Amino acid sequence: MKPHWSLPDIPFFSERHADVVAALNRWIARNRPVLQDESEASLNAQCAYWLESLAAEGILDLAVPNALPVEAGEPGVDLRSICLVRECLAYYAPLADFVFSMQGIGSAALWQKGDPEVVTSYVRACASGEKVAAFAVTEPDGGSDVASTRTSARLDGHEYVINGAKSYISNGGIADFYLVLARTEEGKGAGALSALLVDADTPGLIIYRQIDVIAPHPLAEIHFEGCRVPANRLIGAPGDGFKVAMSVLDVFRSSVGAAALGIGQRALDETVARVTTRQLYGRAMSEMDTVRHKVADMATQLEAARLLVHKAAWMRDVRRVRISTEAAMAKMQGTEAGFQVVDAAVQLWGGLGITCGTVVERLYREIRPMRIYEGATEVQKSIIGRQWLRGVA
């Protein structure tokens, strides 16, 4: 484990990003005892701890805008800072990265498309750690096919009545509010969807079941049974829900690649430490060409993906252009490279690499879901291929 974090030596950053790294190093120093010892606290308690610790250093502020409303054409948040934070947090504590990213993802639609009079208090509460956010898009049978959303929201006077189910919802059961995608318009497809802000204590919102996955995170299936919310909780215009959801992913999809880089870098560092000390056939593993070749592949994969991730963030922050294609590349290459590196680490660690509780075994469980959520690798390939074939990439 690195004793401290540093700014990547690539030309995508400015002086402000040195301040981000300084805040991250203060966070590392303050939490070093926790980072070095695997916590036995409950999952919810761990999330609450990381939320408080990130808020205390002002790191959560990087996931949300400083002021609302965000003027048209302004980026709202600095994606390069978000990527720096996610790579660092994922390296030291993947659950802390999860907490940070969900505060951003769960609040992004609010500051992008919401009425400031309604949403400002929610966004600021996310930055301070006073409220926990959730983004409720996926459905039990829908997966990445957002356009097939079945959850409905019928306008009844000055309220929307929501019925349906959402599944694999991050922060499900601990969130204070949910951004819910539901079908409000006649017809089929993406144009019939709208986004609604729903408080967790709204009658009719039911935490149906908690979902356990290989990388422990708070996940739940949520049911809506006649759940009524005021019409002013509509985020964006009626029928704009798909656009709202995609605008969130355009911001945060690149940062998934950054988090995968953090996990991959941790696996590489742990592996280098192991192969330089472990003896096989009378010599250190690091003296074997097969091991050197494997480490060379791991390091090169991470460096190549790192350039794609930070280029995408730079294009959004500096060029102020839409980065759907670049974000898809960053997410795909970051998570695929991260997975290949962790898988190689497990192989080099041998039997210890598949022993429950060892660092690379934990990293393997953390990296595997990242190739699926926020759009599986296959979805990213479809986005990239479609854009390039249209000649608009």
Side-chain angles (χ1 to χ4, degrees), residues 42 49 57 91 118 121 123 155 170 194 241 278-279 282 296 319 340 358 368 370-371:
S42 70
Y49 174 84
E57 290 297 341
Y91 181 95
V118 175
S121 63
V123 176
L155 187 60
S170 295
S194 298
R278 185 186 181 194
Q279 297 285 318
R319 292 284 181 83
Q340 292 298 326
T358 58
R368 187 58 185 87
M370 301 180 84
R371 297 167 63 206

Side-chain angles (χ1 to χ4, degrees), residues 40-355:
E40 296 182 359
S42 70
L43 187 59
N44 289 358
Q46 291 181 63
C47 287
Y49 174 84
W50 292 127
L51 186 70
E52 182 179 356
S53 75
L54 293 168
E57 290 297 341
I59 294 174
L60 289 182
D61 283 320
L62 298 171
V64 298
N66 292 323
L68 294 180
V70 174
E71 298 297 329
E74 292 297 315
V77 293
D78 184 73
L79 183 52
R80 289 169 294 173
S81 296
I82 290 172
C83 288
L84 284 172
V85 170
R86 292 204 65 183
E87 184 174 353
C88 175
L89 297 183
Y91 181 95
Y92 290 97
L95 192 60
D97 166 64
F98 166 85
V99 170
F100 172 82
S101 64
M102 284 312 305
Q103 291 297 92
I105 292 169
S107 64
L110 306 188
W111 59 261
Q112 286 180 325
K113 302 291 184 180
D115 179 351
E117 292 187 4
V118 175
V119 305
T120 297
S121 63
Y122 287 84
V123 176
R124 298 317 305 162
C126 285
S128 65
E130 296 173 50
K131 284 186 183 292
V132 175
F135 190 54
V137 174
T138 303
E139 297 196 347
D141 297 322
S144 297
D145 186 9
V146 177
S148 68
T149 293
R150 295 182 181 180
T151 298
S152 65
R154 174 179 55 85
L155 187 60
D156 182 20
H158 297 293
E159 294 180 316
Y160 280 99
V161 184
I162 307 174
N163 287 283
K166 299 291 181 179
S167 193
Y168 293 99
I169 304 307
S170 295
N171 280 342
I174 66 172
D176 294 292
F177 67 88
Y178 298 84
L179 193 285
V180 179
L181 202 66
R183 190 168 296 280
T184 57
E185 307 299 303
E186 295 295 331
K188 298 180 179 179
L193 305 177
S194 298
L196 291 157
L197 171 62
V198 184
D199 288 319
D201 59 1
T202 305
L205 190 159
I206 301 164
I207 305 302
Y208 181 71
R209 66 185 179 106
Q210 299 295 142
I211 301 173
D212 295 325
V213 291
I214 58 175
H217 297 85
L219 289 172
E221 181 172 325
I222 303 165
H223 288 192
F224 300 90
E225 298 179 0
C227 181
R228 289 180 171 269
V229 297
N232 69 352
R233 296 303 183 90
L234 185 71
I235 305 300
D240 279 353
F242 184 81
K243 294 178 182 179
V244 170
M246 292 305 105
S247 69
V248 173
L249 294 179
D250 273 354
V251 176
F252 283 91
R253 186 167 269 165
S254 302
S255 74
V256 181
L261 289 173
I263 292 174
Q265 190 65 53
R266 177 69 181 275
L268 176 57
D269 290 349
E270 297 287 348
T271 299
V272 168
R274 178 160 174 77
V275 300
T276 53
T277 56
R278 185 186 181 194
Q279 297 285 318
L280 278 182
Y281 307 111
R283 57 177 176 160
M285 286 182 67
S286 58
E287 296 177 7
M288 300 176 180
D289 278 341
T290 51
V291 173
R292 290 171 176 171
H293 294 172
K294 184 68 72 175
V295 170
D297 287 340
M298 295 163 76
T300 303
Q301 285 175 308
L302 289 177
E303 283 300 298
R306 186 170 284 114
L307 288 171
L308 270 177
V309 167
H310 292 302
K311 177 196 172 186
W314 175 84
M315 288 186 68
R316 180 184 184 275
D317 293 341
V318 178
R319 292 284 181 83
R320 304 288 180 89
V321 295
R322 187 174 182 183
I323 58 166
S324 298
T325 302
E326 291 81 6
M329 288 181 173
K331 199 272 184 183
M332 178 184 76
Q333 196 64 20
T335 57
E336 291 294 329
F339 177 76
Q340 292 298 326
V341 168
V342 176
D343 186 68
V346 170
Q347 196 74 11
L348 288 171
W349 277 59
L352 200 57
I354 56 173
T355 301

